[in-house]
Amino acid sequence: MSTCTSASRHLDEPLAGTAATARTWLLIEQSGPWGAKALTSSHLDPALGRALEAAADGTGVRIALIRRPGRHADCGDSAERHVYAAHTTPGNVWLHSATTCAPEQVLDLDFAALGMGDPHTFDAVLQGRPHTGDPLALVCTNGKRDRCCALLGRPLATELSSSGVEDVWEVTHLGGHRFSPTLLVLPYGYAYGRAESHAVKEVLQGVGEGRVVVEGCRGRSTWERPGQAAELAVRTAAGEHSADALTVVRTEGAAPRWEVTVTHTDGRLWRVIVAQGASLPPRPESCGSPLGSPARMDVVAVRELTTTAFAVPC
């Protein structure tokens, strides 16, 4: 049986530059089934879901629901649930956690501040604290968005959990169904596609040591998609694996061509040319959708610059 995932894999569609974009992730535990738009079609109060969507709009915060791998019984509204917030911008990366029996409390957060990397309202409103456990491994399993996420994501999440990997969660939507199983790792915000258990364990070990595994990486959610592709290209060219060593400081141009400037904490910088192309031959972007040509980010050139070349004239 052909699926969007099998078509994408067969055509060797590139992964770089395909991650969802978010500077800050806000994750709310919600057991039970999820619909295609989980915030308003789950056992979470749909009015609360709509209010959360409105509160996060334009702030750089992306909200998703999470649940533990396994059976998805709903424990009821009084159940204590986990809430996480993670900011992914280099130089200000953090992951805080809290628990609450009243998810409506989340509406009291300052979403603009969260998007800018300030965790104070999360800590004040929810009695949050820095997360001291392992990195979060979030596997998309929402079959109502695409059947591949359920068919491929759920077994991966279950395998990781049963093999002793801590802090594994199912998550509602990470985009890119055709790259299932898809994975997001927090706090750094790197996303992966076509994930396999052994590779995920390597990724998580790297994150725990402050390193990025480039193989299978879709990009860092902090950046827009041209920046995601550019940063990964610089990592490959420079052999750089330190998670917070690189920052996308400038993206100039518009589709279908951008010039992206990437800097290193040691002062080096690169100019990367990224071009938007169409994936051919046509393939489904998700199961059941018509054939199309999804946009792809192709790195045309990577050039290291001198600081003099980068300087802006007075």
Side-chain angles (χ1 to χ4, degrees):
M1 177 181 63
S2 178
T3 63
C4 66
T5 300
S6 60
S8 176
R9 187 185 294 268
H10 175 72
L11 295 169
D12 198 24
E13 187 176 350
L15 293 168
T18 66
T21 56
R23 293 190 304 272
T24 301
W25 289 84
L26 181 62
L27 310 171
I28 305 169
E29 184 178 5
Q30 177 59 58
S31 56
W34 298 331
K37 295 183 178 181
L39 277 180
T40 54
S41 54
S42 69
H43 289 181
L44 186 73
D45 181 353
L48 174 58
R50 288 189 292 271
L52 288 169
E53 288 177 334
D57 186 37
T59 65
V61 177
R62 185 179 178 112
I63 305 174
L65 302 184
I66 56 174
R67 64 191 177 197
R68 289 296 190 186
R71 299 188 65 180
H72 303 135
D74 194 339
C75 299
D77 292 339
S78 63
E80 185 176 71
R81 60 186 80 200
H82 291 80
V83 184
Y84 295 96
H87 189 68
T88 65
T89 301
N92 186 30
V93 170
W94 49 261
L95 171 61
H96 286 214
S97 63
T99 57
T100 182
C101 293
E104 61 274 10
Q105 284 185 304
V106 178
L107 284 175
D108 294 330
L109 300 178
D110 184 336
F111 283 82
L114 283 177
M116 295 301 293
D118 183 351
H120 288 106
T121 61
F122 183 88
D123 294 346
V125 171
L126 298 172
Q127 287 74 58
R129 58 204 176 278
H131 178 68
T132 57
D134 291 340
L136 300 190
L138 306 165
V139 181
C140 183
T141 63
N142 190 350
K144 295 297 185 181
R145 296 285 307 212
D146 191 281
R147 61 180 175 175
C148 287
C149 297
L151 292 173
L152 301 175
R154 286 179 184 169
L156 174 63
T158 299
E159 181 180 356
L160 290 171
S161 180
S162 62
S163 67
V165 176
E166 299 291 336
D167 288 321
V168 178
W169 295 87
E170 298 185 9
V171 67
T172 48
H173 184 49
L174 298 176
H177 318 297
R178 62 192 183 280
F179 304 123
S180 296
T182 58
L183 171 80
L184 176 73
V185 181
L186 294 175
Y188 295 114
Y190 283 95
Y192 291 82
R194 304 179 187 132
E196 298 180 358
S197 177
H198 67 89
V200 173
K201 292 176 182 178
E202 181 182 350
V203 167
L204 293 173
Q205 180 180 344
V207 170
E209 299 169 353
R211 295 185 294 106
V212 177
V213 173
V214 174
E215 185 176 359
C217 191
R218 301 174 61 195
R220 189 171 189 161
S221 70
T222 319
W223 319 124
E224 297 296 327
R225 292 184 177 182
Q228 294 174 12
E231 191 228 39
L232 290 175
V234 170
R235 285 194 178 280
T236 300
E240 180 56 69
H241 300 287
S242 176
D244 267 359
L246 301 178
T247 300
V248 176
V249 296
R250 182 179 299 174
T251 300
E252 300 174 293
R257 188 179 179 88
W258 298 267
E259 291 189 359
V260 182
T261 304
V262 179
T263 63
H264 194 289
T265 51
D266 65 10
R268 287 180 291 165
L269 58 153
W270 292 262
R271 178 68 49 81
V272 184
I273 307 300
V274 181
Q276 179 177 299
S279 298
L280 295 173
R283 78 288 310 274
E285 291 195 48
S286 60
C287 290
S289 68
L291 297 181
S293 299
R296 54 184 284 171
M297 296 292 144
D298 294 318
V299 173
V300 177
V302 179
R303 182 166 64 96
E304 187 171 354
L305 304 177
T306 65
T307 53
T308 302
F310 181 69
V312 177
C314 296

